[in-house]
């Protein structure tokens, strides 16, 4: 089963300010980008990130072969319950994502 | 001898046919991050019209806005700031720093002004410094809330008078207008409080009538230094603005800007990849065209600036989240490692109960498992077991004394708590004595709002200092 990490050359997550998290999935060909768009379906991505599909903004940027998701941060940056100040670890949740 | 810089030759910000080619040199993504010195020297030789650098952001967390202190060491900042002041003197153009001292709070601005005075007295440079402060008084923000001038951004958080009263620092993000006002004083150096990442770069090209969409788009591409190139560590980048767009050229010998590296930078730390909201309007890059000039420079045209009906500045605020003490114990015994969740759940329950009996104050106790799921918590489904686990006890309370007291109540549990009642008392590894580490007051970001201003300078304070050796 092809995983997201097999078709993406890099999956990056980062804060976009203290209240948002943004995840960029970079592919190096249009074919792989199309596969990534198929694998990373909103419902599956939302489930992995512990949120609902309607909380996700999805951007398919074909010119760059990049699929991008933005969502309100699971915890506001730096509050007592936040575990990752820069939000860079969330990308790891998506690497193993497959079609099923 | 010092000369008055002739910066702004057009009196309106409308795009002008007489727009002057404007070169902005960005030494690095932030003061304190370091840069390639050859690249900076090359940039100075290229005769820029202005040097712009960012002094911080919210990215390191709420502590820095909460306290108004710097993330980077004073000596690192002093050493880099001295080099930039020297580069400025050589280029004989203004040097602008935004979000000084990590958060851009008033105390953080004063900190960098003090460093500047020290450098000036050591090097004998005579300079004029314009100081722009972005700090907002709590009572004035309460008045603005009552007047309906404060509105929430997504995700919506409630703002109340009590919350505004309790912020230790509130800052408004300055835009191009406030930086232009600082430049119009003719100062050699502008030290600005909280500013949008882009405004220090966009201000001069906008004032000189360059393409408005291009000015903001080029500023976004340049704000992280050479991050929009193939060699981010080289730091220094030049953005050249004109009446139709802008050109990106890295100053590092091996760094290359390509249409891909430049266009992909709009994604970085930006929740909407085609837009960027600034005071007075927003940038839209949907129609931007990226063209390679040669193998290391990129030309961009077609970005648009959409003016808003009202002039809004973003607010940031931090307030106390209590006082925190952490402890660390290391568990290596394989039976305990196997049953670690049961062990910490038992400690959390027993210690919380005991502490509540002894201490009459609000607190929380959490034991986080380093080596299992400390990074992602419940979201992590890919956990693999290891031979040891770090147990980090986190006590957060309403006072310093309570947080320390409860961390000490936790101490014997972390050292000796048995998994079952009928076994010999175990002992775990403490790496330190004392094992408790007091972290001080913790802060939280509590404003995600905009403030509507009648005049862009309302709420900002501009002063001019004449520094003489």
């Amino acid at each position: 089963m092809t995983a997201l990490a097999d078709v993406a050359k890099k999956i990056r997550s980062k804060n976009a300010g203290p209240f948002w998290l943004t995840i960029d999935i970079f592919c190096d060909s249009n074919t792989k980008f199309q596969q990534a768009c198929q694998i990373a379906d909103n419902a599956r991505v939302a489930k992995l990130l512990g949120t609902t599909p309607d909380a996700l903004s999805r951007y398919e940027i074909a010119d760059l072969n990049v699929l991008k998701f933005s969502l309100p941060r699971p915890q506001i940056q730096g509050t007592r319950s936040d575990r990752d100040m820069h939000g860079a670890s969330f990308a790891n949740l998506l690497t193993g994502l497959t079609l099923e | 001898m010092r000369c008055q810089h002739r910066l702004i030759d057009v009196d309106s910000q409308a795009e002008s046919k007489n727009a002057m080619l404007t070169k902005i040199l960005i030494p690095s993504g932030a003061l304190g991050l370091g840069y390639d010195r050859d690249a900076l020297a090359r940039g100075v030789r290229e005769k820029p019209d202005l040097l712009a650098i960012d002094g911080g952001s919210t990215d390191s967390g709420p502590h820095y806005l909460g306290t108004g202190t710097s993330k980077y060491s004073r000596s690192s900042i002093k050493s880099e700031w001295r080099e930039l002041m020297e580069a400025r003197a050589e280029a004989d153009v203004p040097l602008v720093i935004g979000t000084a001292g990590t958060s851009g709070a008033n105390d953080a601005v004063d900190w960098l002004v003090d460093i500047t005075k020290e450098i000036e007295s050591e090097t004998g440079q005579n300079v004029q410094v314009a100081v722009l402060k972005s700090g907002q008084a709590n009572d004035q923000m309460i008045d603005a809330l009552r007047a309906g001038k404060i509105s929430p951004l997504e995700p919506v958080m409630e703002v109340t008078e009590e919350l505004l009263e309790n912020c230790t620092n509130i800052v408004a993000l300055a835009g191009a207008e406030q930086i232009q006002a600082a430049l119009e004083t003719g100062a050699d150096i502008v030290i600005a409080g909280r500013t949008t990442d882009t405004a220090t770069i966009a201000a001069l090209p906008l004032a000189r009538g360059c393409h408005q969409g291009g000015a903001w788009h080029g500023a976004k591409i340049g704000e992280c230094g050479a991050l929009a190139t193939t060699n981010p560590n080289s730091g220094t980048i030049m953005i050249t603005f004109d009446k139709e767009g802008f050109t990106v050229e890295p100053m590092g010998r091996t760094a290359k800007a390509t249409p891909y590296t430049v266009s992909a930078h709009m994604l970085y730390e930006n929740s909407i990849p085609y837009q960027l909201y600034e005071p007075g309007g927003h940038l839209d890059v949907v129609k931007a065209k990226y063209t390679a000039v040669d193998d290391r420079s990129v030309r961009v045209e077609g970005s648009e600036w959409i003016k808003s009906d009202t002039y809004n500045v973003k607010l940031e605020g931090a307030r106390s989240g209590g006082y925190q003490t952490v402890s660390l114990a290391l568990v290596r015994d394989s039976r305990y490692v196997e049953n670690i969740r049961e062990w910490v759940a038992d400690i959390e329950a027993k210690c919380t109960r005991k502490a509540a009996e002894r201490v009459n104050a609000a607190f929380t106790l959490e034991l986080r498992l380093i080596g299992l799921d400390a990074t992602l918590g419940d979201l992590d489904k890919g956990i693999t077991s290891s031979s040891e686990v770090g147990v980090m006890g986190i006590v957060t309370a309403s006072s310093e004394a309570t947080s320390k007291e409860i961390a000490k109540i936790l101490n014997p549990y972390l050292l000796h708590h048995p998994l079952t009642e009928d076994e010999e008392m175990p002992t775990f590894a403490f790496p330190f004595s004392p094992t408790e580490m007091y972290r001080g007051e913790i802060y939280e970001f509590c404003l995600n709002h905009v403030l509507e201003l009648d005049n862009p300078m309302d709420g900002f304070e501009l002063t001019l200092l004449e520094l003489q050796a």
Side-chain angles (χ1 to χ4, degrees):
Chain A
M1 188 72 74
T2 309
L4 194 58
D6 299 330
V7 297
K9 70 172 175 186
K10 182 163 114 183
I11 305 176
R12 166 179 84 186
S13 64
K14 203 88 206 299
N15 297 338
F19 306 100
W20 288 84
L21 184 69
T22 193
I23 304 175
D24 300 327
I25 301 161
F26 294 87
C27 302
D28 59 11
S29 73
N30 185 260
T31 312
K32 288 181 176 172
F33 167 67
Q34 298 296 344
Q35 281 177 285
C37 289
Q38 222 184 345
I39 295 169
D41 127 278
N42 284 13
R44 281 194 287 264
V45 170
K47 193 175 168 206
L48 286 175
L49 295 169
T51 186
T52 53
D54 59 359
L56 279 185
S57 303
R58 176 188 180 98
Y59 302 95
E60 296 183 5
I61 308 161
D63 290 351
L64 296 173
N65 293 322
V66 171
L67 173 61
K68 182 181 183 78
F69 292 98
S70 296
L71 62 152
R73 238 176 165 281
Q75 281 84 28
I76 294 169
Q77 182 201 8
T79 46
R80 183 166 49 80
S81 53
D82 182 33
R83 293 156 175 262
D84 179 6
M85 199 60 60
H86 299 84
S89 300
F90 290 91
N92 297 292
L93 294 170
L94 300 190
T95 54
L97 187 62
T98 59
L99 274 175
E100 287 308 320
Chain B
M1 286 273 292
R2 61 177 304 281
C3 65
Q4 196 75 11
H5 303 291
R6 292 184 61 224
L7 290 167
I8 300 170
D9 284 5
V10 286
D11 54 5
S12 107
Q13 282 191 38
E15 287 156 23
S16 162
K17 282 180 187 160
N18 306 318
M20 293 161 70
L21 198 74
T22 302
K23 295 164 86 169
I24 309 290
L25 182 66
I26 300 121
S28 77
L31 188 69
L33 272 183
Y35 44 80
D36 172 351
R37 284 170 176 75
D38 289 343
L40 178 64
R42 175 160 174 235
V44 170
R45 285 197 299 275
E46 299 268 329
K47 299 201 176 304
D49 295 289
L50 184 144
L51 276 69
I53 191 156
D54 205 354
S57 75
T58 56
D59 213 31
S60 301
H63 171 82
Y64 305 99
L65 179 60
T67 57
T69 56
S70 168
K71 168 186 168 178
Y72 292 111
S73 81
R74 194 178 195 279
S75 59
S76 301
I77 294 295
K78 187 176 173 185
S79 148
E80 284 190 22
W81 189 233
R82 180 200 298 263
E83 287 180 358
L84 295 188
M85 285 173 66
E86 284 163 0
R88 183 218 71 78
E90 193 185 330
D92 194 24
V93 295
L95 165 64
V96 181
I97 183 164
T99 315
T102 306
S103 65
N106 288 358
D107 287 352
V109 170
D110 289 338
W111 179 80
L112 189 63
V113 169
D114 277 349
I115 292 174
T116 310
K117 286 178 182 167
E118 214 171 274
I119 295 170
E120 183 274 336
S121 68
E122 288 165 12
T123 59
Q125 279 193 25
N126 291 338
V127 286
Q128 265 195 336
V129 180
V131 179
L132 178 74
K133 290 206 170 157
S134 311
Q136 305 296 311
N138 303 57
D139 56 349
Q140 283 174 15
M141 289 300 96
I142 290 171
D143 290 344
L145 181 67
R146 287 179 185 160
K149 299 285 186 187
I150 295 180
S151 327
L153 296 169
E154 293 283 333
V156 174
M157 299 167 72
E158 199 195 358
V159 58
T160 61
E161 292 183 15
E162 190 195 353
L163 182 147
L164 291 169
E165 181 81 53
N166 289 338
C167 287
T168 57
N169 273 310
I170 302 173
V171 289
L173 278 73
E177 291 76 10
Q178 296 83 0
I179 298 296
Q180 285 164 353
L183 288 171
E184 278 164 13
T185 64
D188 304 292
I189 296 175
V190 174
I191 299 179
R194 188 63 170 126
T195 311
T196 70
D197 294 346
T198 40
T200 53
I201 303 170
L204 184 60
L206 286 169
R208 288 171 151 195
C210 294
H211 189 271
Q212 291 181 308
W216 287 109
H217 192 184
K220 169 65 185 167
I221 299 308
E223 56 112 349
C224 290
L227 203 60
T229 74
T230 55
N231 181 0
N233 295 329
S234 59
T236 312
I237 196 165
M238 183 86 82
I239 313 276
T240 304
F241 299 89
D242 55 48
K243 62 183 177 182
E244 273 132 17
F246 66 96
T247 305
V248 184
E249 187 190 1
M251 294 291 107
R253 201 175 298 277
T254 59
K256 291 183 163 73
T258 70
Y260 179 82
T261 64
V262 172
S263 55
H265 189 68
M266 275 303 287
L267 305 170
Y268 189 69
E269 294 181 346
N270 194 11
S271 59
I272 311 170
Y274 310 110
Q275 290 173 349
L276 192 68
Y277 281 81
E278 294 286 340
H282 75 271
L283 165 72
D284 190 306
V285 303
V286 168
K287 293 181 188 152
K289 293 279 174 271
Y290 304 80
T291 320
V293 176
D294 49 38
D295 70 344
R296 55 191 310 281
S297 317
V298 173
R299 174 76 190 161
V300 185
E301 293 180 9
S303 346
E304 294 173 292
W305 170 253
I306 294 113
K307 200 169 177 293
S308 53
D309 296 336
T310 54
Y311 188 86
N312 294 347
V313 289
K314 201 172 164 191
L315 294 175
E316 287 168 357
R319 65 173 169 187
S320 177
Y323 298 78
Q324 201 165 70
T325 304
V326 298
S327 304
L328 181 64
L330 304 172
V331 176
R332 182 63 181 80
D333 181 307
S334 56
R335 189 170 143 260
Y336 278 79
V337 169
E338 272 167 39
N339 296 287
I340 195 76
R341 287 183 197 281
E342 192 186 330
W343 187 70
V344 296
D346 197 35
I347 293 176
E348 273 177 351
K350 287 186 170 135
C351 183
T352 300
R353 197 161 53 232
K354 185 182 281 182
E357 283 164 17
R358 294 181 183 171
V359 178
N360 184 24
F363 71 90
T364 59
L365 164 66
E366 182 191 352
L367 298 183
R368 222 171 264 181
L369 298 176
I370 298 172
L372 284 181
D373 61 1
T375 320
L376 289 160
D378 291 342
L379 293 175
D380 201 338
K381 310 295 181 208
I383 301 164
T384 49
S385 61
S386 58
S387 54
E388 68 173 15
V389 179
V391 179
M392 181 162 66
I394 306 170
V395 176
T396 311
S398 49
S399 72
E400 174 179 344
T402 307
S403 86
K404 288 177 171 172
E405 178 68 13
I406 295 170
K408 287 190 175 188
I409 294 174
L410 175 66
N411 182 309
Y413 288 100
L414 291 180
L415 186 60
H416 289 312
H417 188 64
L419 202 51
T420 56
E421 279 177 17
D422 51 355
E423 64 184 274
E424 264 188 55
M425 188 177 74
T427 301
F428 303 98
F430 279 0
F432 313 117
S433 167
T435 202
E436 295 81 23
M437 294 166 268
Y438 177 57
R439 293 194 57 246
E441 190 167 16
I442 64 165
Y443 293 87
E444 51 195 29
F445 288 117
C446 57
L447 287 176
N448 186 28
H449 295 76
V450 290
L451 169 68
E452 184 186 334
L453 297 178
D454 296 330
N455 178 325
M457 286 310 286
D458 291 349
F460 293 90
E461 185 193 313
L462 181 60
T463 48
L464 198 58
L465 307 175
E466 189 92 37
L467 302 188
Q468 286 185 329

